[in-house]
Amino acid sequence: MPSFLLLYRGPPGDAMSAPPDQQKAVMDAWTAYFTKHGPAIKDGGNPTLPGVNMKPGGKTGSVGDVTGYSIISARDMAAARAIVADGHPHLGDAKNSIDLFEIMPIM
């Protein structure tokens, strides 16, 4: 079954500085989503720290607002989109978005 990379975009947030009850609510939402989609979640992922875009000659650029990733499995792009659209907690904020890519297994 194909794998899909989800790149989370949105304003950087510091969930760790939120009050404990808000931290718990966020984690509960992610846990519920991952539980709901069970075997489709290959790697729940993690938040990412600021990074750089590497270019030829050692030049770098900004990667923008990537804040995390996950990897899911689905039969095709339509099924992957349905999994993401089915209550993904990252999409609960209108400032956020998810880039969805099918991973081409060549190695």
Side-chain angles (χ1 to χ4, degrees):
M1 187 169 307
S3 295
F4 295 84
L5 173 66
L6 287 67
L7 289 180
Y8 303 126
R9 294 187 181 273
D14 187 3
M16 299 314 290
S17 67
D21 60 330
Q22 288 179 6
Q23 290 179 32
K24 182 177 180 338
V26 168
M27 290 308 298
D28 287 350
W30 281 85
T31 299
Y33 177 81
F34 289 153
T35 300
K36 179 179 184 177
H37 293 287
I41 308 299
K42 290 183 75 170
D43 179 349
N46 280 292
T48 56
L49 297 171
V52 297
N53 175 266
M54 301 299 297
K55 299 180 182 195
K59 298 187 187 312
T60 61
S62 171
V63 293
D65 54 359
V66 175
T67 59
Y69 77 95
S70 292
I71 298 175
I72 64 171
S73 62
R75 71 179 174 280
D76 55 28
M77 180 60 84
R81 289 178 63 182
I83 291 168
V84 172
D86 187 20
H88 199 293
H90 189 71
L91 296 178
D93 185 327
K95 297 178 291 234
N96 293 341
S97 66
I98 298 174
D99 295 335
L100 178 62
F101 300 92
E102 184 170 353
I103 298 170
M104 184 173 27
I106 62 171
M107 299 183 73

